[in-house]
Amino acid sequence: MYHRNIKILDYIIRTNKLCKKYKETTALNHVSLNIPQGAVYGLIGNNGAGKTTLMRILANLQVPTSGSVRKMRGIRVGAVIETPAIYPLLSARGNLKYQMSITGAKGKSIKALLELVRLHDTGKLAVNYSLGMKQRLGLAMALAGKPDFLILDEPLNGLDPEGIKDMRTVIADLNQKHGMSILISSHILGELQKIATDYGFLKNGTLIREFNSNEIAGTDLETFYFENIL
């Protein structure tokens, strides 16, 4: 288990009655989310619950219809939402170099980024990468600006057991060794429970409840989810 036994006093991001509507559809309905500084926050919900919309708003990729987002002063946000924006005819180094040139990112060196996400065999073009390598490259690109808060949308999706374990270790290292607060959306609840310190359940655009890992000690997250959501 990767849970940290520290007392977290501050919140890195909070939302207040956040709403997002698309014509007649309500994607988010008065969501008040609280993400502690230093947390790995697991965002859980079925397809269509509003997770991606919420993450896009937190990443400044969309604006809410109403409500507000309050972020800790001066934080930098990195995100991998939906499909990583990878250029298939560039290598990993080429992708990172181009990403840093168009965003003006001045964070870690390319070599340090690749080592951080454990991406090897980086000489070949990204079109030939496995899904796990693409996930790592997308993560490295999100880390190029040295974010304080990282948003990951289904980072374990489609990976084999070894790939899941490696990605889980990378995420835990970013949190514990580099002090990064992380929001993860994932349907793989057993794996999420191994790294998350806090959770939020979304259903039909509404935040049903928030809790931390201590509240589910002795039970599994999947059972807790089905008892409290469905």
Side-chain angles (χ1 to χ4, degrees):
M1 303 289 281
Y2 292 107
H3 302 150
R4 302 183 306 162
N5 296 316
I6 64 173
K7 187 176 181 180
I8 301 174
L9 301 177
D10 299 310
Y11 293 94
I12 194 163
I13 287 186
R14 305 183 87 170
T15 68
N16 181 40
K17 297 182 179 179
L18 205 63
C19 295
K20 181 63 178 180
K21 294 184 178 180
Y22 302 99
K23 296 183 179 180
E24 302 301 319
T25 302
T26 299
L28 296 176
N29 184 25
H30 294 87
V31 172
S32 295
L33 191 76
N34 304 278
I35 302 178
Q37 183 181 12
V40 176
Y41 189 103
L43 184 62
I44 303 168
N46 59 314
N47 292 334
K51 302 187 300 299
T52 299
T53 298
L54 176 57
M55 289 186 289
R56 289 181 65 83
I57 290 174
L58 297 182
N60 300 317
L61 298 175
Q62 285 184 250
V63 295
T65 304
S66 63
S68 62
V69 178
R70 183 178 180 181
K71 299 178 182 177
M72 187 174 286
R73 186 185 301 273
I75 69 164
R76 297 177 295 270
V77 178
V80 183
I81 298 176
E82 298 175 315
T83 304
I86 293 172
Y87 303 96
L89 298 182
L90 294 177
S91 65
R93 292 179 180 276
N95 267 277
L96 284 167
K97 185 176 180 179
Y98 184 65
Q99 173 78 1
M100 295 168 82
S101 70
I102 63 175
T103 61
K106 295 181 180 179
K108 294 179 176 294
S109 69
I110 290 176
K111 180 180 178 182
L113 284 168
L114 294 174
E115 291 176 349
L116 189 60
V117 300
R118 303 185 180 191
L119 182 57
H120 309 293
D121 193 17
T122 57
K124 61 185 180 182
L125 300 182
V127 69
N128 298 313
Y129 285 6
S130 66
L131 179 58
M133 292 178 71
K134 289 177 180 177
Q135 293 278 47
R136 287 185 177 84
L137 178 54
L139 178 55
M141 294 170 72
L143 295 173
K146 204 174 181 181
D148 307 287
F149 178 63
L150 182 64
I151 301 169
L152 300 176
D153 183 13
E154 297 289 347
L156 308 178
N157 193 33
L159 300 181
D160 60 24
E162 184 176 348
I164 289 174
K165 182 180 178 181
D166 286 346
M167 182 61 73
R168 191 178 71 215
T169 300
V170 169
I171 292 169
D173 284 349
L174 290 172
N175 175 245
Q176 297 181 4
K177 296 181 180 179
H178 299 274
M180 200 173 297
S181 303
I182 303 172
L183 171 67
I184 302 176
S185 167
S186 180
H187 287 128
I188 308 177
L189 302 187
E191 291 297 329
L192 188 61
Q193 188 172 5
K194 294 176 183 178
I195 52 177
T197 60
D198 297 80
Y199 303 89
F201 284 171
L202 270 180
K203 183 178 182 180
N204 299 328
T206 300
L207 185 65
I208 302 299
R209 67 179 296 175
E210 292 186 305
F211 58 97
N212 61 45
S213 57
N214 293 329
E215 297 177 58
I216 57 171
T219 187
D220 64 275
L221 182 59
E222 182 175 292
T223 299
F224 192 81
Y225 171 78
F226 284 114
E227 288 178 349
N228 288 273
I229 292 294
L230 299 182

